[in-house]
Amino acid sequence: MRATWRILVIDDEAVMRESLAAWLREDGYEVDTAPSGREGIDRARETDYAIYFVDLKMPGGIDGIETMMEVKKLRPDASIVIITAYATVDTAITAMKEGALEYIVKPCNPQEISLLVTRIIKVRKLQRENEILRRRLSGRWHFHDLLSKSPRMQEVFGLVKDVASMRSTVLITGESGTGKELIARALHFSGERAEKPFVGVSCAALTESLLESELFGYEKGAFTGAAERRKGKFEQAAGGTIFLDEIGDISPKVQVDLLRVLQERRFFRVGGSEEVSVDVRVVAATHVDLAAAVKESRFRDDLYYRLNVVAIHLPPLRERPEDIPLLARSFLERLSHELGKEAEDLSEGALKALLGHRWPGNVRELENAVERALVTAKGRVLTEDDFAFLRPVSEAAPGWSVPTHLPLADVEKTVIAATLKRNEGNVKETALVLGIDRSTLYDKLKRYGIERA
């Protein structure tokens, strides 16, 4: 297990640097070395080491303290040991004040180094276990947040448990707001990769070039502004899960790139010539009917079949009304605690109002509705009046009605503008109410020239 812990030795003195590295390797650790502060910082930028041994005095314009401070910026949780042949009380105080974990004097004793590293690793193991526990508790919370009495959702939960520990690619489908990301997190935090990263990417929110850079990273000088090499989301998710949300909106070029990653688990950084191998589980999600997109040649069939190894479909909230009271009361209990506002229950009238709404934004819209009602409610039991904003536009806003005599595009423009106004320019809430994703709404706002203010 020691081989999983990586250590970097930064020292301009070759004999000391290689001796220290050799002692640590004999103890079973993976050790890299750097002969200067600048090279050490470059290595820290590329690799997350558990421990850094940093010589205090080094030539090249950047000493050990400055090196340590730069590494700390890159790796705030790094354990740094300052080593020096010129120990003084002042340098020791400065080193510890700037974040050094330990301060040792040359010549170093191999046994002393071995005991020191063992002690640091022991602490870091405890920190890692705490982090895993925290993530798992977080994941459990998310999973429990998907409360449901619906037989169809119970089947979904069962499927999640069955495939959580597998490495198979999963495609989650369903309307916006049905909880696709929560299912993806449940898959990750319930499986064997829980201690590794869960990295999400909203594919619809980025242009083709930005999405490529975000997914695969880039090399220094790959394009204007690429001042240094940067790892992409696939590398950041190494050993864990990458969640590709709104996969149905990616361009044909990115479809080709993703297909190669799924087939070979290798890719090139943007502007790079060196292949990067990565072990990640891919979970993708979309509200788009990908099978139909394949028939219309808008989505590659080979990529679709690579993604659709395990399919999980989330039914919309309107097809499982038995979940509405359960979810609404769960949101009310949590939100009243988070917002510091006492609320006991929902009245029969409030439940009737909730059950009478179609919920185009699904569970996310229901949660927002409960929060909005809770914020403005005067009593401890939320009533039908607290959910008046759910009534049809013509009922909630006397004097306004859908102009059915106009062409369809004009009706759509009018409804979008009115809904945006009702939500005080909030695009997120407006998209939820209209049952479309934000990128689609932005397109329509631009097309119809609708101002948010």
Side-chain angles (χ1 to χ4, degrees), residues 24 63 179 189 195 210 226 253 271 290 319 321 360 366 387 414 442:
L24 293 168
D63 64 16
F189 289 110
E195 64 185 77
L210 282 176
K253 170 71 167 56
L290 285 188
E319 292 181 8
L366 175 60
F387 290 95
T414 303
Y442 277 120

Side-chain angles (χ1 to χ4, degrees), residues 204-232:
L206 301 170
T207 62
E208 179 182 283
S209 58
L210 282 176
L211 181 57
E212 285 184 309
S213 299
E214 194 73 7
L215 291 174
F216 308 118
Y218 52 81
E219 296 290 344
K220 180 179 179 180
F223 49 80
T224 303
E228 58 188 31
R229 172 189 286 179
R230 181 181 174 187
K231 288 183 178 179

Side-chain angles (χ1 to χ4, degrees), residues 386-404:
D386 294 319
F387 290 95
F389 55 87
L390 292 177
R391 295 169 186 159
V393 174
S394 56
E395 182 182 346
W400 191 96
S401 60
V402 176
T404 54

